[in-house]
Amino acid sequence: ERTARRAVLRYRHGSGDWPWAYEVRQTFALNGRDLSMRLELLNCSDEPMPYGLGFHPHFAKTAAMTIKAGVQGLWQLDDQLMTIGEAEAPEKLSLSSGFSLADSMLDHVFQGWDGSAVVCWPERRSELRITGGGCINNLVLYAPAGGHFVCVEPISNVPDGFNLAPAAFKSPVFELLAPGGMGTMSLLLQPQLLGQSISSDLG
């Protein structure tokens, strides 16, 4: 479906290499200057299906760029970027008071995201408020060394979560979707100039 301010994509998957049948629907909608995104995943099979949902936006990197977000900890990754455990985020990776993205090389998965983040570009007098809803549990920050972009990626599962033993972790590594059940995830992006107020709400 497509209109001037809204687009809907739908994909249907029959059982195959991925043994569960499912249907996924993604909606993009503009409301003034704000962009909302929504994912809806329907389990069309007769058995519970493990699943993960995520959004993967990336933004221009600048010298004074920062991010603020509420997170509870950090997923420990090995040198292949696969999950091996849980840990407290070290002070140098604290996102609570405005973490500088200027010279950082990041590839980290933060757990316990509270669904709110602010990316700020002070030299441009602008910021972006990010609000997540639904099954989001984690926040990925990826910034390659020498790159010109930063990824801020809300996701529900953890890397390699399908190959982990869930009982070994305090936090969920992936979700199970009952037959006929639907998993949802939403994201609202609200750009504004510094000092202005936000008026739109997450749908």
Side-chain angles (χ1 to χ4, degrees), residues 41-194:
L41 174 67
L42 176 66
N43 181 5
C44 302
S45 62
D46 296 328
E47 298 179 352
M49 179 180 75
Y51 77 100
L53 295 176
F55 294 107
H56 304 279
H58 64 280
F59 309 104
K61 185 176 181 180
T62 65
M65 184 181 185
T66 63
I67 183 171
K68 292 183 182 180
V71 296
Q72 295 179 359
L74 189 70
W75 291 101
Q76 291 182 316
L77 307 180
D78 62 17
D79 57 2
Q80 299 297 314
L81 304 180
M82 295 293 103
T83 309
I84 57 175
E86 300 172 83
E88 295 292 326
E91 185 63 31
K92 66 179 181 178
L93 287 175
S94 174
L95 306 185
S96 61
S97 58
F99 178 75
S100 174
L101 297 169
D103 301 314
S104 302
M105 192 286 288
L106 293 171
D107 203 342
H108 295 79
V109 184
F110 295 87
Q111 60 172 306
W113 183 45
D114 65 6
S116 179
V118 177
V119 179
C120 184
W121 296 266
E123 66 270 59
R124 297 180 178 179
R125 298 186 59 249
S126 62
E127 66 181 17
L128 180 72
R129 294 185 178 270
I130 303 173
T131 307
C135 62
I136 298 173
N137 297 312
N138 305 292
L139 186 68
V140 177
L141 293 185
Y142 174 67
H148 301 291
F149 65 91
V150 176
C151 298
V152 181
E153 306 173 322
I155 60 173
S156 65
N157 61 295
V158 301
D160 202 33
F162 299 148
N163 292 318
L164 300 174
F169 296 86
K170 294 180 292 183
S171 303
V173 295
F174 63 83
E175 304 286 342
L176 278 176
L177 196 58
M182 179 173 288
T184 64
M185 177 180 285
S186 59
L187 199 66
L188 178 66
L189 304 181
Q190 296 178 287
Q192 65 174 0
L193 294 176
L194 292 177

Side-chain angles (χ1 to χ4, degrees), residues 8-14 22-26 40-42 44:
V8 181
L9 308 175
R10 185 172 63 182
Y11 172 73
R12 292 175 177 171
H13 173 81
Y22 67 86
E23 179 175 308
V24 63
R25 175 185 172 105
Q26 186 170 22
E40 298 169 295
L41 174 67
L42 176 66
C44 302

